[in-house]
Structure formats: C-alpha cells, structure tokens
C-alpha cells in the first residue's frame, strides 16, 4: 500500500532549513514513514536558521516517539544505504531545501553522496522527485540545471511562497511552501488556505 512506503526527505545546505523542519513535522504528523538524509551543510543550516542545535534536537522537536516510529535516519556518506537502491521501497523523494550544489549534482547524475544517489535512483525509477531550490539571483548554470532535471522528470519548486493569503507570520510563509510540497507528494494537508476555498 502506498501509505506504508517511505518518502525520502533530504535536507541540504540552502537557506530555508525551516521549510525542511516543517515538512518533516507535517509528514510525521500525517503518519508518513520518512527516510531522512541530512547533508553536512543541511544540518549546519538547521543549526544556523532554527533553534535546533543537533539531530537530537530535531528528534525532540518532532517528538521522540513519533520520530522513532516514522523516521529512519541515513548517513549521507553511506552510498550503500537503503535509499541508494531502486529496491528501497520509497514512493517519492523531496530535497527541501535544495542547494545549487545538490541541484548540479543531480543534474549531472554524479551520485557522490547518498542524497545525490537517492535522487538519481528516484529519477531512474520514474518516481516523483521534488526539489525545493533556493538561491537568488540565478546564474545560467543554475537555470540550465533546473531545466535539465525537469526534463529528467523532477519537479523544481523554488522556495518562493505566495502572498495572496496575506501572511502575517514567518510560519504562514513556511506553511504555504510546505503545503505545496505535500500536494506534490500526494499527502493530504490543510497547512495553508487554498485559493477560492473558504478559510
Ligand atoms: C549560511 C549559509 C547559507 C547558504 N545558503 C545557500 C543557498 O541559499 N543556496 C545555495 O545553493 N547554497 C547555499 N549555501 C551554500 C551551500 O551550503 C554549499 O554550497 C554546500 O556545499 C551545499 O552542499 P549540500 O548540497 O551537500 O548541502 C549556504 C551556505 C551557508 C553556510
């Protein structure tokens, strides 16, 4: 059953760690199994941009019992871990946030880390791959890499929240993005108001 198959979540070193943390929280609350990979700079940005100082802090933030039940953490240096194989029973992968470095590696198929390899596998298996990219402005290299991964089947979702729901808190902007990501992953959510629907 789809609901029992994990979603691979990678957090890499682009600004926007709160998106990744909120996405993890929403997936755990929705009782979705998660195969989690943190790049070294993904963890660094969590430490820089949130109040969480470590993986233990992230676990406590999500709730230790929920983490233990729904989250399996993999070492980004271990290219032999489960998500490195097409036989890993993942149903989709999301990189949130996705650095330009990781975007480039995925576009080139280099597979030099577990995040890169898992994304490469996700594309070859024709499973959904969502990349929540963040950089500004964008060079032609960034734009060409976005086009390349799009042609390969990925969905590029730049971290660019809308304002038509009149956000008043940073959390409103974060939830707007995370709601759109969850929609693409096929996870029911009511994190943000939907245009044309009563709030
Ligand atoms: C505070 C900080 C903010 C950064 N913000 C971005 C960013 O918004 N976008 C980006 O592509 N890289 C950003 N970087 C650079 C990446 O972290 C760096 O290129 C890193 O090697 C990416 O590796 P990873 O994709 O394996 O995490 C930032 C780095 C730091 C320390």
């Amino acid at each position: 059953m789809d609901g029992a198959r994990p979603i691979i979540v990678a957090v890499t070193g682009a600004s926007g760690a709160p998106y990744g943390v909120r996405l993890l929280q929403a997936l755990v609350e929705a009782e979705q199994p998660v195969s989690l990979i943190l790049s070294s700079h993904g963890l660094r940005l969590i430490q820089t941009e949130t109040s969480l100082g470590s993986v233990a802090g992230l676990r406590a933030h999500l709730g230790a019992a929920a983490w233990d039940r729904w989250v399996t953490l993999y070492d980004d240096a271990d290219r032999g871990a489960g998500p490195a194989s097409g036989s890993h029973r993942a149903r989709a992968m999301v990189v949130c946030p996705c650095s330009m470095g990781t975007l480039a590696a995925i576009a080139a198929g280099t597979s030099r880390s577990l995040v890169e390899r898992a994304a490469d596998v996700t594309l070859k298996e024709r499973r959904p791959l969502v990349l929540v990219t963040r950089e500004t402005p964008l060079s032609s290299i960034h734009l060409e890499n976005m086009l390349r991964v799009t042609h390969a089947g990925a969905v590029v979702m730049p971290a660019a929240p809308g304002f038509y729901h009149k956000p008043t808190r940073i959390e409103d902007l974060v939830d707007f993005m995370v709601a759109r990501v969850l929609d693409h992953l096929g996870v029911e959510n009511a994190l943000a108001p939907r245009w044309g629907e009563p709030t």
Side-chain angles (χ1 to χ4, degrees):
M1 218 172 71
D2 245 16
R5 292 170 57 198
I7 294 172
I8 301 170
V9 178
V11 178
T12 66
S15 188
Y19 294 119
V21 171
R22 183 71 172 118
L23 175 63
L24 285 169
Q25 187 182 35
L27 288 171
V28 162
E29 283 176 8
E31 304 191 338
Q32 302 291 314
V34 169
S35 298
L36 175 62
I37 315 167
L38 306 174
S39 75
S40 63
H41 273 62
L43 180 57
R44 176 174 171 170
L45 268 285
I46 288 174
Q47 292 164 335
T48 301
E49 297 186 332
T50 77
S51 58
L52 307 172
S54 63
V55 173
L58 178 60
R59 177 172 173 266
H61 179 71
L62 299 187
W67 172 284
D68 293 347
R69 175 152 188 207
W70 298 110
V71 179
T72 305
L73 179 66
Y74 293 93
D75 179 354
D76 190 32
D78 183 4
R79 279 170 269 163
S85 170
S87 65
H88 185 69
R89 298 170 67 85
R91 70 177 194 267
M93 176 170 177
V94 53
V95 186
C96 178
C98 180
S99 74
M100 294 301 103
T102 290
L103 169 72
I106 295 170
T110 47
S111 295
R112 304 303 294 170
S113 68
L114 185 59
V115 171
E116 296 169 19
R117 170 64 184 166
D120 198 52
V121 165
T122 302
L123 290 175
K124 88 178 170 72
E125 298 293 334
R126 309 297 199 267
R127 294 172 185 151
L129 175 64
V130 177
L131 306 180
V132 184
T133 53
R134 194 276 151 195
E135 189 49 275
T136 194
L138 297 168
S139 71
S140 63
I141 294 172
H142 301 148
L143 291 165
E144 283 173 9
N145 284 335
M146 288 182 188
L147 186 59
R148 198 162 185 194
V149 297
T150 300
H151 282 153
V155 174
V156 176
M157 296 187 71
F163 286 80
Y164 53 78
H165 60 313
K166 297 189 174 65
T168 56
R169 308 169 309 147
I170 290 174
E171 289 83 354
D172 297 333
L173 296 168
V174 171
D175 281 356
F176 181 98
M177 265 319 298
V178 172
R180 299 296 293 120
V181 171
L182 290 169
D183 286 349
H184 272 271
L185 295 172
V187 177
E188 279 301 317
N189 72 90
L191 285 191
R194 294 178 188 279
W195 184 249
E197 291 183 15
T199 51

